[in-house]
Amino acid sequence: MKSIIALLCLFSISLSAQSYFSISGEILDQRNQRLELSEVNLLGDQNQIIKSIVSQDGTFEFKNIDANTSYHIQVVNHSQLQNEPSFTLNADYRIKIIFNSHITELEELKIVKNRNSVKTENGNLNIDIANSALSKVANPTDLLSRLPFVRIDPNGENLSFVGKGVPLLYIDNQRVDFSVINTLSVDDIKSIELIRNPSIKYEAEGKAVIKINLKKSKKDGQKLILTETGVFQKKYSNYFSGNYQAKKNKTEWKLNASYNQINHWESNGFDYEIDTKAIASDYIIKSITKRPQLIFGANFYQELGKEGDYISLAINSNMRPDKGNNTTVTNYSESTINTNVQTLNIQDRNRTTVNAIFNFNKNLPKLNANIFTGFQYKRETDHVNYNFYDNKDFSGYEFSQSRDQLYSGNVYSGRIDIEKKFSDLFKAELGGSFNSAETFTDNTTQFGSTKEPERLEYFFRESNAATYANLDFNMEKFALKTGVRMENTIAKGENKETEADNITRNYTDWFPSFQLSFEPNEHFNYSLDYRKSISRPNYGDLASGGLYGSPYIEYRGNPLLLPSYTNTFTLSAKLKKWSVTASFYESKNPMGYTLVFDEAKNISTFKIVNFDKEIGGNLGVDYELILKKLKSQNNLSLNYDKIEDAMAISRKSTPYLYFSTNNSYSLRKYLSILLDASYISNRTEGIFEYNSMCLVNMGVNANLGQFDFTVRYNDIFKQMDYIQKLTYKKISSTGTFYGNTPTISLTVKYNLGKISKSNYKEKEVNENANRL
């Protein structure tokens, strides 16, 4: 660490001898009044954008600009553009611009240059999607899988962030869960931010944020995008979607619908031993089901009078029936008696999600302030019928049991955010939120024998009220951002069958955060961050009832789960094209999956539990290479994680490497080749051991008129199998989660009509809705 600090100091000293100046000015209309809300671009001698800001009050300033170079100012206001004469910067430069409103209106502006597609700031990555070959991939899940540090699980339905666990997902200012991501069109995505040091405005949940920024504009028009994707995995699936967008004056509509015929394949297996019971077993469970998806969404956005005032309404639903067979093959040994069991599970499942959001935003220019308020409602239901048949020692299938399970949840929430700018140096943010959640689990198990049926009725209620304050100080080269959030949570769980699962909790938490940064010029930046965060269990994991795997294994929820708390320190430096990040974290009550032996039922259960403690850190380097037609983004990190628990056998933790590379090569204007790969080495994280994985993907993009074609071949070397080893409460287990790869996909996208940009804005009111 001392050598790193010394290196940073040497860079800083070397910079002090260089010359940097500022460029500032004001923009006036033809009546000599300051022009409100315009975009100001600083362009270099090759017409490349050096910096860009949005001027709210007709003034602008660019700081720490390289001297002895030719620049010119460009102003864009209401789709009209004006270029100022060029100048050479050899001292602080100030200009007064008279904007001519009679300049010809632009239909579209394109500045073509092979520019950096990844920007780094304070250890965070901002990846340009719209102007790169990534805009042509088949779907958002495929897009996310190609980003550094992002790992999609073998099932393809969840993701994690290397060294950070499960990240928060945002679309603009709207927090969403992973199932919502695939309702997007990749064509609508402008950029994706990988925020490794999220501020308090992203709530206290999670250690990292993935934020998807959508394209925005002021042009009227209509646009329809039809997308057809065929995916060849172990089973064939087909995805068809339509996205329609229309804007007229200050009103905008968005409608989307998808019909996906998914033939789902999923498999995992465990080998485990229980020494105290002389039990040894191995099983493999495989699920093959048909999952047709019906997705509908409607969005309405209306500007109100003054710039910045608007209301928006969004309603979307996702209906996901899931029918098919799950099969389990189990080899079970107890006290030298060996048994083979084949279990057939006939599944009939229906899942539905409905989400509605209302936003209102009011801009107060005289007070230099903004007020946002919103309300949200989300409902999710999951009704499933299982019929289980066991074939013991090849004697033939016999009915074992049936389970009728109903899970439903409702979340109501609201929030208010107030932002006040006192000067260019000081800004304050205040706000509050509340949410109320109710979930109900109703499970009935009917046995094939004369045994009485088992019943589970579990009610869970949780309310959360929060307030926060943020202060933002910006000086010439230094910036300080500090904030604190207070949350009070009241939770109550009631099991009508057994009081052992009943819980009552009332707790108040404080979540401070701060960031101190130093930016001597635009090429170098140093920052120190601290943040306290919380990770809460999903409502369904608290009481989802049991899923029968075989006579010896079940999958269950855990009503006694506690939230986990994490303190994270991060030091980051931007050194021209290089970005270096070092971080350390410590967590209390981390959550993870494991096998636990149920003494009462004499079976093993697979569920989420709280461990005692987790510590870890990483040292990473990010670098982007641009060479003519080649773009290559590379990320390398050395990581260390250790999970401890009194009930588990802990091994010596080992550091591990993570590397990712994302490359695109343009053969022609309409044709490009993609190659990306990631590697993570073998690792021991205290009580867990994991295997190494090397994923390599290839693709080709082609654009012909209104059509886009994409061919992808993912996981060429079949490395998607994920292996986990653990000894917990005297059960030694090795679990393998098999990947549904390799994957070949063909996407055809048809673009009809045009809206250059979109004004649509929407904020997530409930930050915990994804816990359903």
Side-chain angles (χ1 to χ4, degrees), residues 664-724:
S664 64
Y665 185 81
S666 299
L667 288 176
R668 297 285 189 272
K669 182 179 179 180
Y670 57 87
L671 183 66
S672 59
I673 297 176
L674 310 176
L675 173 65
D676 61 274
S678 65
Y679 169 76
I680 188 167
S681 63
N682 289 313
R683 55 209 183 276
T684 301
E685 301 178 5
I687 63 176
F688 286 103
E689 291 184 53
Y690 298 100
N691 63 311
S692 63
M693 297 175 70
C694 181
L695 307 179
V696 179
N697 311 312
M698 295 186 65
V700 177
N701 297 143
N703 175 260
L704 300 173
Q706 298 292 97
F707 289 91
D708 292 327
F709 299 91
T710 304
V711 179
R712 294 279 298 166
Y713 187 8
N714 293 342
D715 192 15
I716 296 173
F717 301 113
K718 301 180 182 179
Q719 293 280 299
M720 197 64 179
D721 294 348
Y722 178 87
I723 301 173
Q724 167 189 297

Side-chain angles (χ1 to χ4, degrees), residues 398-574:
E398 293 184 2
F399 176 74
S400 171
Q401 59 181 260
S402 64
R403 298 195 179 192
D404 183 49
Q405 299 181 344
L406 173 64
Y407 167 77
S408 62
N410 297 282
V411 178
Y412 309 86
S413 53
R415 68 180 300 157
I416 184 170
D417 301 293
I418 302 172
E419 180 181 314
K420 167 66 176 174
K421 186 176 182 182
F422 292 92
S423 67
D424 291 338
L425 303 179
F426 177 51
K427 182 177 70 173
E429 295 173 306
L430 301 171
S433 64
F434 78 90
N435 72 77
S436 176
E438 301 174 350
T439 66
F440 173 60
T441 302
D442 184 358
N443 296 341
T444 301
T445 302
Q446 181 67 56
F447 298 95
S449 62
T450 57
K451 184 178 178 181
E452 288 293 320
E454 289 184 357
R455 183 76 184 273
L456 167 66
E457 287 188 61
Y458 192 84
F459 296 86
F460 180 78
R461 298 177 179 87
E462 182 182 270
S463 63
N464 179 279
T467 60
Y468 75 90
N470 273 329
L471 300 178
D472 193 342
F473 302 91
N474 287 286
M475 290 144 276
E476 184 174 352
K477 294 183 179 180
F478 289 91
L480 174 64
K481 299 178 180 179
T482 182
V484 64
R485 182 179 183 87
M486 186 276 289
E487 293 189 359
N488 175 255
T489 302
I490 301 174
K492 184 176 182 179
E494 180 182 1
N495 188 333
K496 285 196 171 185
E497 305 302 321
T498 172
E499 294 184 358
D501 292 339
N502 291 352
I503 60 170
T504 300
R505 299 188 182 117
N506 188 340
Y507 54 93
T508 299
D509 293 312
W510 294 84
F511 301 98
S513 72
F514 76 84
Q515 180 186 92
L516 178 64
S517 61
F518 170 61
E519 186 175 5
N521 59 69
E522 64 177 322
H523 300 296
F524 293 82
N525 179 277
Y526 313 94
S527 66
L528 174 66
D529 294 80
Y530 164 75
R531 184 173 188 258
K532 182 180 179 181
S533 59
I534 186 173
S535 294
R536 297 183 176 91
N538 292 337
Y539 301 129
D541 291 329
L542 294 171
S544 59
L547 172 61
Y548 182 87
S550 77
Y552 313 107
I553 192 77
E554 278 192 353
Y555 297 79
R556 288 189 193 166
N558 184 1
L560 303 182
L561 277 175
L562 297 172
S564 61
Y565 297 87
T566 302
N567 291 285
T568 305
F569 291 89
T570 304
L571 178 66
S572 59
K574 176 188 175 184

Side-chain angles (χ1 to χ4, degrees), residues 274-280 333-335 597 599 602:
I274 308 171
D275 293 336
T276 57
K277 298 288 183 178
I279 293 175
S333 173
E334 183 174 1
S335 300
F597 188 72
E599 297 279 354
N602 198 40

Side-chain angles (χ1 to χ4, degrees), residues 34-53:
R34 282 188 176 179
L35 194 68
E36 294 184 357
L37 197 65
S38 57
E39 180 181 341
V40 185
N41 300 316
L42 177 65
L43 280 71
D45 54 3
Q46 296 182 5
N47 208 37
Q48 76 276 23
I49 295 179
I50 306 299
K51 282 191 174 184
S52 180
I53 62 173

